[in-house]
Amino acid sequence: MISFLATVGRVFLAFLAHVGRMSAFTAMAVSHTVRPPFYPRLILRSVIEIGYFSLPVVGLTAVFTGMVLALQSYSGFSRFAAEGAVATVVVLSVTRELAPVLAGLMVAGRIGASMAAEIGTMRVTEQIDALTTLSTNPFKYLVAPRILAGTLMLPFLVLVADIIGVFGGYIVGVYKLGFNSATYIARTWEFLEPLDVISGLTKAAVFGFLITLMGCYNGYYSKGGAQGVGAATTNAVVSAAIMILVFNYIITAMFFGK
Amino acid sequence: MTPKIELTGVHKAFGPKVVLDGIDLSVARGESVVVIGGSGTGKSVMLKCILGLLRPETGSIKVDGEEIAGMGAKDRDRIMKKFGMLFQGGALFDSLKVWENVAFGLIQGQRMERNKARDIAIEKLAQVGLAASTGDLFPAELSGGMQKRVSLARAIATNPEIIFFDEPTTGLDPIMADVINDLIVKCCKEVGATALSITHDMASARKISDRIAMLYKGRLIWVGPAKDIDHSGNEYVDQFIHGRAVGPITMELRA
Ligand SMILES: Nc1ncnc2c1ncn2[C@@H]1O[C@H](COP(=O)(O)OP(=O)(O)OP(=O)(O)O)[C@@H](O)[C@H]1O
Ligand SMILES: [Mg+2]
């Protein structure tokens, strides 16, 4: 019984230590992101890596999501003769929920993992120590450019995903379900409000921040060689995915939870 | 004169494992000190404590008379600029070309213009026996010994006041090792840098050092002028420099 309590206590203390370390890391990262010196070259590199090279995977996710959504809502809504709502359902679901969350999860897999692996390898091969001895702050050089790029580029990716997702719905709606093209487009615009898109982009910015933060954090504190880097990579993706889901709820509640 | 580096009673443990158990060492300006000692005795840890990469539990570390423990970020940056460090494992940035690695401290630390920094990098590469064309390769494309030399070039590129060499000649052929020894001596004698090196190579230790210190079980058991190393009167030192398996230092082997 005592040993059970001791275990619980130990786990709880470890959890608190973890939360404390992560908060300190976040504070450091943010403060270095907003203060000079900046590294434009590195920011650009991360912007291209996150914004440009994620386009295919995000686009593919979006187009299929839009297509499936159109099919599903058509067959579902036909049960109560509401097929006409397909275009509206597609655009609202995509902009508010699906584009940010799915793009976030895909980018978490792509970028979160590669960042954790890269920074983790730099940690275990002492490259981060070397940065310090060369008068370069690792937070400024490694963490800040990535977090900045992630926070800026995710909204861009999600905007692209919004358009492609709606387009996927349109393709299925018009060519498979037989909607009139002009009607479908009119229906898409009819109930769309700026807040739908804005809330989605806000989520995207938060997710971008979380993904890069988790990638950098887990990489930065990885230890013990290849195995440690592997664990850091897994943790980065899993923790980013969970945080995306949690923050998705929180942000939705803030925007729409009257 | 205040010593360039002064350690007093430095303790460092990892969990229950005590690595440094009260280190006292003082290195004068322009002096070259070599630390010898068995593998895993904490030589690299000692350098990392001085650099602030690891935090000792107790003890004082002063650089130019300034205590570095608990120093603010600004002061630490200023102190860091005095240092150059050759890491045991090289620690080259694998995403950057060789010349960018060497020029890193110039470009990022001193904000030097890239072209100018590149020229200096190529010159430093030449000093460690590497052709200018090597500069455009990536570290992964080099042999182990070449990486070590690039790392050495990076450590001295900014002409730091204090240079740490963690096993500078390990993995080099005997001739190249001697070229590197000469380079280290030159850094101290001509440029006036203070050097603290670690090596297992006794020939190199004799050549580059003014004084030698031996680390054993977390303490410096012998510190003295390099010329006295052969008649130190310390049986641990004797065993070490002659590389005998039998003696007071027992390797924890299990048959
Ligand atoms: N980050 C760390 N975490 C835990 N233990 C460590 C860490 N770094 C070093 N140690 C331990 O400290 C001891 C000293 O390590 P150190 O790297 O200083 O050895 P060394 O004297 O440089 O040996 P070598 O000559 O083989 O390089 C080792 O036993 C090692 O296990
Ligand atoms: Mg070592």
Side-chain angles (χ1 to χ4, degrees):
Chain A
M1 188 60 197
I2 298 288
S3 78
F4 170 73
L5 287 178
T7 309
V8 170
R10 208 163 34 237
V11 170
F12 184 64
L13 285 181
F15 173 76
L16 286 187
H18 189 72
V19 169
R21 198 173 69 170
M22 185 145 36
S23 314
F25 185 92
T26 309
M28 281 282 275
V30 171
S31 84
H32 282 291
T33 306
V34 297
R35 275 183 305 154
F38 302 111
Y39 293 98
R41 213 176 250 276
L42 296 174
I43 296 174
L44 186 68
R45 208 178 88 178
S46 290
V47 160
I48 293 172
E49 178 61 33
I50 299 173
Y52 182 71
F53 289 110
S54 300
L55 277 175
V57 62
V58 168
L60 214 63
T61 311
V63 75
F64 279 105
T65 305
M67 285 163 68
V68 162
L69 204 55
L71 273 186
Q72 287 279 25
S73 50
Y74 183 83
S75 86
F77 286 12
S78 66
R79 292 179 194 164
F80 43 93
E83 299 93 330
V86 166
T88 312
V89 168
V90 168
V91 72
L92 291 193
S93 326
V94 167
T95 53
R96 282 183 175 207
E97 276 302 317
L98 294 171
V101 172
L102 292 179
L105 292 175
M106 296 310 277
V107 175
R110 231 192 124 250
I111 297 296
S114 84
M115 277 183 185
E118 187 178 352
I119 297 181
T121 306
M122 292 186 72
R123 164 61 73 200
V124 301
T125 56
E126 299 183 323
Q127 292 179 48
I128 295 186
D129 290 342
L131 274 181
T132 313
T133 66
L134 292 163
S135 310
T136 304
N137 187 320
F139 272 89
K140 281 214 187 318
Y141 188 81
L142 293 175
V143 178
R146 287 172 166 81
I147 289 189
L148 196 63
T151 313
L152 293 178
M153 288 326 281
L154 251 259
F156 161 75
L157 283 171
V158 166
L159 197 61
V160 173
D162 284 348
I163 296 165
I164 296 181
V166 169
F167 177 72
Y170 168 86
I171 296 285
V172 169
V174 172
Y175 295 100
K176 188 162 164 67
L177 306 174
F179 283 94
N180 173 283
S181 164
T183 321
Y184 191 97
I185 292 172
R187 281 299 188 116
T188 297
W189 286 113
E190 198 175 350
F191 296 104
L192 182 68
E193 286 175 24
L195 199 60
D196 298 324
V197 178
I198 291 170
S199 69
L201 298 185
T202 309
K203 286 179 179 180
V206 173
F207 297 168
F209 175 78
L210 292 172
I211 292 165
T212 43
L213 182 73
M214 286 299 107
C216 293
Y217 171 79
N218 285 286
Y220 194 83
Y221 285 108
S222 67
K223 48 172 168 260
Q227 199 180 11
V229 175
T233 309
T234 311
N235 287 342
V237 176
V238 171
S239 56
I242 291 173
M243 287 177 99
I244 284 175
L245 298 174
V246 172
F247 275 83
N248 182 43
Y249 181 84
I250 296 174
I251 300 170
T252 308
M254 274 164 41
F255 270 99
F256 305 110
K258 306 263 155 15
Chain B
M1 203 165 82
T2 43
K4 198 73 183 166
I5 306 169
E6 190 174 23
L7 282 73
T8 343
V10 173
H11 280 259
K12 175 72 196 168
F14 294 100
K17 185 183 166 87
V18 177
V19 176
L20 301 181
D21 190 16
I23 298 281
D24 300 305
L25 179 69
S26 131
V27 183
R29 179 182 306 269
E31 191 184 24
S32 169
V33 172
V34 164
V35 179
I36 57 174
S39 186
T41 47
K43 304 180 297 296
S44 300
V45 167
M46 186 176 104
L47 291 193
K48 286 182 190 168
C49 285
I50 303 174
L51 288 167
L53 299 172
L54 292 172
R55 191 160 300 172
E57 280 83 43
T58 55
S60 132
I61 298 175
K62 287 185 181 157
V63 175
D64 280 328
E66 288 182 274
E67 179 64 52
I68 64 156
M71 190 176 252
K74 271 233 161 56
D75 288 324
R76 182 168 289 270
D77 282 352
R78 180 171 52 77
I79 297 285
M80 260 314 163
K81 288 213 186 337
K82 299 183 184 181
F83 283 103
M85 164 84 177
L86 162 66
F87 284 85
Q88 187 171 359
L92 294 174
F93 305 123
D94 40 29
S95 59
L96 298 179
K97 287 185 180 155
V98 165
W99 81 262
E100 290 174 311
N101 264 282
V102 177
F104 196 92
L106 299 168
I107 296 176
Q108 306 298 352
Q110 302 186 354
R111 310 249 130 210
M112 187 185 279
E113 212 198 313
R114 281 176 78 81
N115 282 331
K116 206 169 144 208
R118 192 191 153 101
D119 292 341
I120 296 178
I122 300 292
E123 181 194 320
K124 295 288 171 186
L125 283 173
Q127 286 183 15
V128 295
L130 292 171
S133 59
T134 320
D136 286 318
L137 300 175
F138 282 94
E141 296 168 310
L142 304 181
S143 75
M146 290 164 89
Q147 290 182 10
K148 192 103 204 185
R149 285 184 278 156
V150 172
S151 197
L152 189 91
R154 183 175 72 180
I156 61 172
T158 53
N159 294 329
E161 295 170 35
I162 307 169
I163 321 178
F164 290 171
F165 299 102
D166 197 341
E167 307 199 2
T169 55
T170 307
L172 301 181
D173 65 76
I175 300 172
M176 190 44 76
D178 206 47
V179 171
I180 297 303
N181 288 338
D182 287 338
L183 180 63
I184 294 175
V185 171
K186 192 177 136 207
C187 282
C188 296
K189 294 290 169 295
E190 286 178 19
V191 188
T194 307
L196 185 54
S197 319
I198 294 174
T199 187
H200 292 297
D201 173 355
M202 287 314 299
S204 165
R206 285 171 215 270
K207 183 151 189 181
I208 64 178
S209 67
D210 300 317
R211 280 194 302 149
I212 296 182
M214 169 136 175
L215 185 62
Y216 179 67
K217 294 221 161 138
R219 290 172 172 274
L220 292 176
I221 54 164
W222 187 83
V223 184
K227 59 180 168 37
D228 293 350
I229 187 89
D230 290 309
H231 30 85
S232 61
N234 184 312
E235 47 187 334
Y236 293 89
V237 175
D238 273 344
Q239 186 194 350
F240 190 85
I241 63 175
H242 295 110
R244 297 192 201 103
V246 188
I249 307 175
T250 47
M251 295 282 152
E252 273 153 33
L253 298 176
R254 229 167 287 195

